[in-house]
């Protein structure tokens, strides 16, 4: 893999340090050996170990005694992540950030400068995480999954909404495999547990009327948050809050990317049909749900009536008119 040259991304030698510690869990490795193997000074090793500790990695020891960890650290480091992604389209370019503004911003910039299909951008923390319709995305350090993938799909722009739906299915499957929970999907982009938001998807696209240059699929999942900020608490939750235990973000992220790979390939090979059917099976919002739709120009109430062939939502308005929702906020109506 070529060196990661993306400004601000994690030094590949920190990535190597994490892999070395993980591969030698429970074994004491001397600072000198680590320094030699990853090609830095012992004092740099010390500095980086301190940084890892600040992220919650439990590293025992100090420069004189050597270092040891007790279990694979839950840092979303490329070397560790790649091991869970064999035979997927996501192994080649994984860019990791300890902190960035928004992984979607990074991915959009990379898309414009020719980064290849399948690039993954992941962060431990976002300072300006973005949600749909101009909202922000709470991105607490080392608690959630903040992921963007760059895709260059050979599809027409009108079919791009299906990508958001398949990303939702992938997130839902990953959560089910990891925690045994059946999350709901609220069209187009919300992952819900007991009606509260567990995750969301922000798909952004650079396209011309008949050609997609690239699509960035941003996925946020609340994983190990022990509490949500007061303003979000009534409407948002985390896997930890829902299950009472912590979850490996590294495992969940690998499951998510494997699942995304499967659904994406299915979409390219078989078209939107199987994705739409699966979405209709798993989302309580696809059909027969009374909803309030808020768009930039109006708000109305109606009942969902299935999906269009390109993934847009059909809603039967109270006056009987059938409306196709292109964008807007969907909320359950009483
Ligand atoms: C939403 O529910 O409104 C969408 C939330 C999407 C959040 C993710 S976190 C990773 C990626 N980077 C961002 O700035 N946003 C998306």
């Amino acid at each position: 893999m070529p060196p990661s040259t993306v400004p601000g991304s994690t030094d590949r030698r920190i990535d190597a340090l994490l892999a070395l510690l993980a591969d030698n869990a429970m074994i004491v490795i001397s600072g000198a050996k680590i320094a030699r193997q990853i090609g830095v000074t012992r004092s740099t090793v010390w500095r980086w170990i301190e940084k890892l500790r600040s992220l919650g990695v439990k590293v025992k020891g100090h420069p004189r005694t050597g270092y040891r960890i007790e279990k694979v650290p839950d840092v979303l480091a490329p070397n560790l992540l790649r091991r869970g992604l064999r035979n997927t389209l996501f192994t080649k370019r994984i860019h990791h950030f300890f902190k960035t503004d928004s992984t979607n911003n990074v991915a959009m910039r990379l898309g414009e400068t020719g980064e290849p299909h399948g690039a993954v951008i992941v962060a431990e923390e976002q300072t300006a995480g973005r949600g749909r319709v101009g909202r922000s995305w709470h991105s607490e350090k080392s608690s959630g999954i903040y992921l963007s993938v760059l895709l260059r799909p050979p599809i027409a722009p009108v079919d791009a909404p299906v990508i958001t739906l398949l990303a939702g299915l992938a997130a839902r499957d990953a959560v089910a495999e990891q925690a045994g929970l059946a999350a709901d999907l609220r069209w187009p982009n919300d992952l819900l547990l007991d009606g509260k938001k567990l995750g969301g998807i922000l798909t952004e696209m650079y396209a011309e009327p008949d050609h997609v240059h690239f699509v960035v699929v941003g996925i946020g999942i609340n994983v190990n948050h022990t509490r949500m900020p007061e303003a979000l608490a009534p409407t948002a939750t985390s896997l930890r809050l829902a299950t009472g235990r912590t979850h490996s973000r590294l495992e969940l992220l690998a499951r998510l990317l494997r699942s995304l790979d499967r659904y994406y390939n299915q979409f390219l090979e078989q078209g939107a049909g199987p994705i739409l059917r699966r979405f209709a099976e798993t989302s309580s919002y696809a059909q027969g749900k009374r909803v309030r739709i808020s768009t930039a120009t109006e708000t109305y109430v109606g009942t969902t009536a299935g999906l269009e062939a390109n993934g847009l939502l059909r809603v039967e308005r109270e006056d009987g008119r059938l409306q196709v929702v292109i964008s807007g906020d969907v909320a359950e109506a009483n």
Side-chain angles (χ1 to χ4, degrees):
M1 198 192 74
S4 173
T5 50
V6 181
S9 67
T10 301
D11 191 312
R12 280 183 316 132
R13 294 164 303 173
I14 300 189
D15 194 19
L17 168 62
L18 272 162
L20 188 67
L21 289 170
D23 288 342
N24 293 281
M26 302 304 290
I27 300 172
V28 176
I29 334 178
S30 75
K33 183 171 172 189
I34 297 176
R36 235 186 358 263
Q37 289 215 359
I38 64 174
V40 294
T41 64
R42 286 170 62 183
S43 62
T44 302
V45 171
W46 169 245
R47 220 166 16 88
W48 285 353
I49 297 267
E50 286 296 293
K51 182 173 179 70
L52 295 179
R53 284 178 173 146
S54 77
L55 288 161
V57 179
K58 301 249 178 319
V59 190
K60 294 261 166 65
H62 45 79
R64 264 183 303 107
T65 58
Y67 304 100
R68 155 176 92 84
I69 55 166
E70 269 155 26
K71 59 179 177 73
V72 176
D74 199 22
V75 176
L76 309 175
N79 278 329
L80 299 177
L81 180 60
R82 195 171 287 110
R83 295 172 185 181
L85 299 180
R86 270 177 225 115
N87 302 322
T88 71
L89 64 100
F90 299 120
T91 51
K92 289 196 194 76
R93 311 274 280 209
I94 305 177
H95 303 286
H96 175 269
F97 292 77
F98 283 109
K99 195 195 265 195
T100 191
D101 54 353
S102 148
T103 56
N104 264 40
N105 291 353
V106 176
M108 290 299 286
R109 285 195 293 270
L110 286 174
E112 281 157 21
T113 52
E115 185 73 4
H117 175 66
V120 170
I121 298 91
V122 66
E124 303 295 324
E125 181 182 5
Q126 298 183 117
T127 52
R130 296 189 283 112
R132 270 179 78 239
V133 289
R135 296 199 185 100
S136 63
W137 185 257
H138 174 62
S139 308
E140 190 180 309
K141 178 166 107 178
S142 302
S143 297
I145 285 178
Y146 316 116
L147 162 77
S148 299
V149 297
L150 177 74
L151 300 172
R152 297 186 183 273
I155 61 168
V158 289
D159 293 322
V162 179
I163 294 186
T164 304
L165 305 186
L166 71 83
L169 289 171
R172 183 183 182 278
D173 282 6
V175 165
E177 287 170 21
Q178 180 78 29
L181 296 173
D184 194 7
L185 290 166
R186 179 169 54 199
W187 187 93
N189 72 316
D190 292 334
L191 189 65
L192 304 176
L193 269 185
D194 298 327
K196 287 186 166 188
K197 195 145 163 165
L198 177 72
I201 293 151
L202 176 65
T203 306
E204 298 180 294
M205 175 166 72
Y206 176 51
E208 284 166 48
D210 58 351
H211 176 69
V212 172
H213 288 281
F214 61 84
V215 172
V216 167
V217 184
I219 305 179
I221 302 182
N222 302 329
V223 186
N224 289 325
H225 305 61
T226 49
R227 52 182 293 277
M228 300 307 291
E230 215 173 300
L232 297 178
T235 55
T237 189
S238 73
L239 267 192
R240 163 107 188 239
L241 289 168
T243 61
R245 61 194 167 91
T246 57
H247 294 269
S248 161
R249 290 178 311 136
L250 194 59
E251 273 176 28
L252 182 63
L253 178 57
R255 290 184 202 280
L256 172 60
L257 287 168
R258 288 199 295 267
S259 187
L260 195 56
D261 177 78
R262 277 195 302 274
Y263 280 115
Y264 179 73
N265 286 322
Q266 185 185 47
F267 175 42
L268 292 194
E269 284 158 21
Q270 300 171 39
I275 306 291
L276 302 184
R277 283 194 289 279
R278 183 79 190 131
F279 192 88
E281 273 164 26
T282 52
S283 164
S284 77
Y285 280 78
Q287 179 88 43
K289 172 86 95 192
R290 246 178 88 72
V291 287
R292 172 168 290 99
I293 308 284
S294 311
T295 71
T297 51
E298 61 171 342
T299 296
Y300 57 89
V301 171
T303 304
T304 60
L307 300 174
E308 293 279 291
N310 59 4
L312 298 183
L313 183 68
R314 286 197 289 256
V315 173
E316 192 183 325
R317 297 172 73 128
E318 285 184 312
D319 62 9
R321 273 184 299 150
L322 197 67
Q323 178 88 42
V324 175
V325 185
I326 298 169
S327 68
D329 235 19
V330 177
E332 190 165 8
N334 326 307

